[in-house]
Structure formats: structure tokens, C-alpha cells
Amino acid sequence: MSDPNQDYFAHHTSQPFAWKERKKARGTWRALFESFAYLPPFNRMFGKDSPSYAESYWYCMGGLTFLSFLLLILSGLVLTLFGPTWWQGTYVGYVTKSIHYWTAQSFFFFLFLHIIRVWLTGAYRGKRWLNYAIGFVAFFLSLGENLFGLLARGDWESQFVSMHSDDMLFTIPGLRLISPENFTSALIIHVALIPFVLLILIGVHVTLVKLQGIARPL
Amino acid sequence: MKSHTPKNQETTRFHVVPHCFWRYPIVAGIVTVAVILLGMLVGSPNWPQATIKKVTTEQPGGTLWAVAQELDHSSSSYTNTQEYGMINPATRLVVDPLKSASWALAPNVNEALSQFLAQPEQQQVRWAMNYDNSIRKALKMGSMGGAMSTVPVPSLTMLSHLHGDFGPVPVIANGILQLARNGYLQNYFQGISPGNTFEYVNIWLYDQPYLLNTAIKNGLTDDQWGMIKERGFFVGPWYLIIPAIAHVLLPGGSSGPGFVLWNALIAFFFIVLFPLIPGLRDIPRYLKLYKLIYATDNIQHSPLVQSVKRSLGDETNASI
Ligand code: HEM
């Protein structure tokens, strides 16, 4: 390519579906599973090439964290619609709550692996530090989100943790006005306030990865 | 293939290759199915809440003792008086409920309450403290139980044998016990705080030996790494390990301000110091563990390239 700018923006042009060519180049199964990337809106979103070192599964960990986040929102929306009586009193509600629980486990599992991969590859160097910091703020905020989720659950653990934290974390001036045994406010903080901020932070994080590209190898 | 090998030969060599998009739907599918299956088959922690009725039925002696502590200002609810809605626990948790139920209580309880309120606060506290101390003595306790050991619970028989200058306090305590056991107290507390239903219920319950004792037996207090555990479930929030370490191991971390300070310090280290300070930020380069992360470059390692390289001699360090 003669014009370097052309090269850069090539990522953002839509790609033809081109099934036959892809099938020939990648084999039937790969071509089939890769089809989504050649359909709207993804055909304009993803660059189709990547540096070879980034082809390892370690580079999927941020994406799987993101997937878990979407699943958390989805299962959380269902829980929000039907409410505490439903998730505590019915089997389907309990299963939905359990899926939400395990999705949180998956979120943090992949997030820890993501952090390890970012550290070991020194991906925070240079201009990527900003995104590293945004990622970390999102991580700590997720831990807070976890606390309020626990308080909003409405079981024995919520009850005990509300009082135990009331005598520790919530004795601090400023924080002590908060009443952690306030189920209603914990629920609002958990389903509306923190997720809203998290959504923005994670959105900016993922967008920056897209704009800055993946870090060079060490 | 264009070669993207940078001039600096120190860095890992690579090529730009078609990205492995086929993995996305497969891995996403596996993860989604896994969390759904885990939710269906393994479930999640779901231990029912303790109610005032249940706790006082199991440990009535604990309730009488808690009333003494609420009246002598030594109960744990005094930590919560800064919250919106919470006032002096003696009034909120003992006197007001009894007043509200005067129609249902035996005359001797109402009389005891009037006798109690007729005295100045100093005298009220002295009576309650005498009762509290004599319970402690009967239980053979020191001035304070250790944080990690459970607190003994007095039995009703044991309490009925205590004698001393308790004034009307034991009768008042028995009035609360009665209201607690027949379910009135829980309804009363929920009713006076409709926007924060569990505020007084939980504050009241936390004054009982029951809640903390149960937590200690299950290894759930903060000092027992309870932050990363769940009651009756094998997987807890293990990812809270950093705050948990700050709380359990670091000096001062068990107090509220110490806990927040340590967490802020740890966050500062990871967000600012580690990635920016020369030396610190270079650790991953020296560790060379990135070799475990990077995918091998199939082109660099293809037999053809390898044989070309060999024929050219390694010192050329050629990249194709
Ligand atoms: C809160 C949830 C997070 C989500 C959903 C998320 C998502 C992502 C995604 C999808 C990528 C693309 C590359 C990859 O997956 O490896 C990425 C890259 C990156 N993430 Fe995160 N991340 C999160 C948290 C974090 C945290 C806590 C850190 C700090 C350690 C961080 C630092 C980075 C950096 C520096 C990159 C650029 C990597 C590079 O250019 O090689 N992220 N993130």
C-alpha cells in the first residue's frame, strides 16, 4: 500500500462476506465460525489481521471479561425485573441468581488472567498507561460492586456482612452516614449507580484498545 | 507477507497474520454454557436470614444480656448511632418498643419501665451495668471476650439465680424477650423504618451473641478471612483477596480508616508506581515470562524459514 494513511483506515472499511474465498483460505469450519466478523456490524469493527504474538488465548482474557460483564448485565436485568421475592422464593429465580453468581466468578477469573497477561507483557508502557489506569479503576470499582451485590442479596450473609461492615468500613467519617443494612439503597447502588459508571469505564477501555492497537512485544 | 520486525532485534519477532476470529463464538459459547450449567447444577450461597423470633427462641438468655448492654451503653449498636434514623440504642431498641406495646404487656413490665424512666440516666446505667457485670461474672468472663472466640450465652435458669442492685432492669429485659419471641419486635422495627426495613432489626440482632458467634463458628468474621468466604458454600468472593490481606495481615488494617488507607496505597502502587517507575516497570522484561504468553510465530518457525535461516547462518538473524 502506497499511502500509509490508507493502510491505517483500512481497518474500518467494511469487508465483503466472500464465503468462497474464506473457505478456501481458512477451511470450512474456521470460515464458518469466522463468518460473524464479516457480517454487520462486526465487519466494520474488527481489523481482520493481528500480530502473530497476540494470537494466543492469553489475549482473549480481556474479551472474556467483557463477555462476562455483558452476561452479568443480562442476568442482572432479569433479577431486577422480578425482584428479591422471586430470586429467594422460586426455583427459577434461584437458578437465575446462581447464574449471576457464577458469572461474577467468571468475570473476576478472566479479569485476573487479563491483569496477569497485561503485567507479563508490559502492556502498560507509554501512552497505554492511561488505559491501564482506567482498567484498574474499573477493577476496584467492580470489587465495590461486589460488596453492594452481597448486601442486596437478602440472605444470612447479607445480614451478617451489613452489620460487620457497619462496625468497620462504615465507621469512617463520611461513610458512616451510609447504612449498609439498607437493602433498598444497596440494591439501587448495585443495579444502577455502579454498573452505570462501570459501563462507561469499560466502554472507554475497550474503545481505547481499539484506537491504540495492541501493544508491541517486549 | 509484510515483515513488521522492528529495527531493534531485541524484541520478539512477529508477522501480521489473519486473526483467529473462529475462536470467538466457540469460546464465548463455552463460557456462557459453563456459567449457566454451574448456576443450575451447583447453585449459589443462600442461607436464610436470622429473624428476631428465631434467635430469641434459641438463645433467650442472650437477649436478656443484650438488653442490659443496650441500657448500660456497652452494646455494639452504639457504633451505629451516626446513621440516619438511629438514635440512642437504649431508647430506640428498648424503651420505645416497650412503650409501643404497653397495651399487650403485663402490668409489672409497664410499672418497671415507669420506675426506670423516673430515675436520672446515671441511675439507669448503674442498674444495667450491675446486671451486665453480674452476668459476666456468672459466665466467668474477663472484661472483654477475644475477637476470635465465641461468647458464652447465659441460660435463663442461670439468670434467674442472679441477685444484686439491678432495679427494674431484669423485668424490662424480660418484657423485651416476650415481645421478641412472639414476633412483635421484628414487625415493630420493620414498621417504624419502612424505607430501611432491616436497619433496626439487624442492629438489634447484632447486639445478640448469636450472630457473631455463628459467624465465628463458620469462620466468617473478617479476621478469619471471612471476606473471601460464604456461609454454606464452597466458593466465595476469592477475588477480594487484596482487601482481605489489607484487613487481616497489614498493621492497622482491621480498623475502618486503616482498611481504606491500605487499599488506597495498594491501588496507588499498582496504578501509578508499578507501571511508571523505571526499574519497577521493567520487571516483566527481565522476568521474560512473556514467552509463556506470546503465541509462536508460525512463519518464523516454519520449516522453510528455519532451513533458509540455517543456510544463511544464524548470525544474520534474518527475519522473513
Ligand atoms: C474491568 C474489566 C476489563 C475489561 C472488560 C477489559 C477488557 C480489555 C480488552 C477486551 C482488551 C483487549 C486485549 C485483551 O483482551 O487482552 C484489553 C486490553 C488492555 N487492558 Fe483491559 N479490561 C479490563 C480491566 C483491565 C485492568 C484491571 C487492567 C489493568 C491491569 C487492564 C489493562 C489493559 C491494558 C493495558 C490493555 C492493552 C493491552 C495491550 O495493548 O497489549 N484492563 N482490556
Side-chain angles (χ1 to χ4, degrees):
Chain A
M1 261 165 257
S2 49
D3 181 3
N5 292 329
Q6 192 73 36
D7 193 16
Y8 178 77
F9 286 107
H11 272 40
H12 300 263
T13 57
S14 88
Q15 303 253 336
F17 192 68
W19 167 252
K20 279 201 179 123
E21 289 83 62
R22 287 197 293 115
K23 186 176 156 181
K24 218 165 121 194
R26 307 281 282 158
T28 312
W29 285 110
R30 285 191 184 191
L32 182 70
F33 282 118
E34 282 174 356
S35 290
F36 80 96
Y38 295 86
L39 291 169
F42 303 113
N43 57 349
R44 312 190 58 136
M45 225 182 256
F46 300 135
K48 300 301 180 279
D49 297 326
S50 79
S52 53
Y53 60 86
E55 287 293 287
S56 88
Y57 279 99
W58 279 101
Y59 280 78
C60 298
M61 295 308 141
L64 289 176
T65 313
F66 188 63
L67 171 77
S68 307
F69 184 65
L70 295 183
L71 292 176
L72 276 171
I73 292 182
L74 218 69
S75 51
L77 276 177
V78 179
L79 291 171
T80 307
L81 273 178
F82 295 105
T85 326
W86 180 69
W87 78 64
Q88 288 189 323
T90 69
Y91 175 71
V92 181
Y94 170 68
V95 166
T96 311
K97 187 199 80 148
S98 306
I99 292 173
H100 195 66
Y101 184 84
W102 282 102
T103 312
Q105 294 282 335
S106 139
F107 176 86
F108 284 106
F109 177 72
F110 292 121
L111 186 46
F112 269 63
L113 292 180
H114 179 53
I115 295 176
I116 289 174
R117 108 87 176 121
V118 166
W119 276 343
L120 293 188
T121 58
Y124 43 75
R125 290 165 299 156
K127 62 180 180 185
R128 281 182 190 73
W129 175 76
L130 176 66
N131 212 15
Y132 172 88
I134 293 174
F136 244 111
V137 172
F139 170 60
F140 275 97
L141 201 60
S142 311
L143 296 183
E145 172 71 347
N146 184 86
L147 171 64
F148 284 100
L150 180 49
L151 294 175
R153 228 159 63 190
D155 59 3
W156 190 90
E157 195 77 20
S158 314
Q159 189 175 38
F160 172 68
V161 171
S162 74
M163 289 317 300
H164 212 48
S165 59
D166 210 354
D167 284 1
M168 200 265 281
L169 189 56
F170 295 101
T171 53
I172 300 171
L175 284 186
R176 70 163 66 127
L177 290 174
I178 296 178
S179 161
E181 61 278 5
N182 193 337
F183 185 92
T184 320
S185 115
L187 198 57
I188 295 171
I189 293 172
H190 180 74
V191 306
L193 190 62
I194 300 182
F196 178 71
V197 183
L198 268 181
L199 197 64
I200 292 175
L201 286 175
I202 292 178
V204 171
H205 184 76
V206 174
T207 308
L208 269 179
V209 174
K210 179 81 187 110
L211 292 180
Q212 299 182 327
I214 215 75
R216 283 196 164 273
L218 278 174
Chain B
M1 268 309 149
K2 296 167 287 177
S3 169
H4 277 239
T5 311
K7 299 271 179 300
N8 177 4
Q9 292 291 332
E10 295 270 303
T11 53
T12 312
R13 276 187 244 111
F14 66 92
H15 288 84
V16 172
V17 296
H19 186 47
C20 52
F21 278 109
W22 57 274
R23 283 178 185 170
Y24 288 43
I26 297 177
V27 176
I30 292 174
V31 171
T32 309
V33 170
V35 292
I36 292 175
L37 282 181
L38 283 165
M40 284 169 62
L41 303 177
V42 188
S44 54
N46 198 21
W47 204 277
Q49 283 199 8
T51 61
I52 291 182
K53 190 172 177 173
K54 179 172 176 287
V55 168
T56 44
T57 308
E58 275 180 32
Q59 301 188 343
T63 303
L64 299 186
W65 188 15
V67 172
Q69 296 185 333
E70 277 151 3
L71 294 179
D72 74 12
H73 303 190
S74 69
S75 64
S76 108
S77 45
Y78 278 85
T79 329
N80 311 118
T81 46
Q82 301 277 349
E83 278 176 38
Y84 288 117
M86 188 58 193
I87 50 167
N88 175 5
T91 312
R92 174 61 86 216
L93 304 179
V94 184
V95 175
D96 283 356
L98 284 176
K99 275 186 182 164
S100 79
S102 59
W103 50 274
L105 290 167
N108 71 322
V109 179
N110 287 325
E111 274 163 32
L113 188 62
S114 320
Q115 187 197 346
F116 182 78
L117 293 174
Q119 296 297 320
E121 194 178 351
Q122 219 180 0
Q123 177 61 44
Q124 299 174 351
V125 172
R126 193 175 307 130
W127 277 330
M129 214 182 300
N130 289 342
Y131 194 39
D132 187 5
N133 287 337
S134 115
I135 296 173
R136 284 176 189 281
K137 208 178 287 165
L139 291 170
K140 302 189 172 58
M141 281 180 66
S143 58
M144 264 290 158
M148 292 269 255
S149 53
T150 55
V151 173
V153 183
S155 71
L156 284 185
T157 343
M158 176 199 237
L159 291 176
S160 66
H161 288 106
L162 296 180
H163 295 289
D165 181 19
F166 308 149
V169 170
V171 181
I172 288 177
N174 271 293
I176 287 291
L177 178 61
Q178 189 194 334
L179 296 181
R181 273 172 147 176
N182 65 24
Y184 173 89
L185 202 57
Q186 177 123 8
N187 285 336
Y188 167 80
F189 283 143
Q190 295 188 355
I192 59 168
S193 181
N196 187 354
T197 328
F198 294 109
E199 183 175 22
Y200 306 128
V201 174
N202 286 357
I203 289 178
W204 190 89
L205 279 172
Y206 206 58
D207 281 349
Q208 315 288 309
Y210 179 89
L211 219 54
L212 202 52
N213 276 352
T214 311
I216 292 170
K217 278 184 207 144
N218 287 282
L220 292 173
T221 67
D222 285 350
D223 338 293
Q224 299 168 304
W225 298 94
M227 221 178 266
I228 55 171
K229 295 190 232 162
E230 286 276 356
R231 180 171 185 190
F233 205 72
F234 66 108
V235 185
W238 51 270
Y239 37 81
L240 289 173
I241 186 66
I242 295 172
I245 288 175
H247 182 78
V248 181
L249 297 182
L250 300 180
S254 58
S255 76
F259 180 68
V260 170
L261 222 68
W262 275 118
N263 277 296
L265 223 67
I266 292 170
F268 182 74
F269 175 80
F270 282 134
I271 297 178
V272 180
L273 299 186
F274 178 74
L276 296 182
I277 302 284
L280 264 183
R281 67 177 182 201
D282 301 320
I283 290 175
R285 202 196 331 265
Y286 299 130
L287 283 180
K288 294 202 189 303
L289 288 174
Y290 54 80
K291 289 186 173 162
L292 300 174
I293 307 260
Y294 294 146
T296 40
D297 186 311
N298 289 328
I299 296 168
Q300 287 287 335
H301 288 85
S302 69
L304 181 64
V305 172
Q306 292 294 317
S307 71
V308 170
K309 270 187 172 181
R310 266 195 299 278
S311 68
L312 290 173
D314 265 351
E315 67 279 9
T316 58
N317 229 346
S319 159
I320 309 278

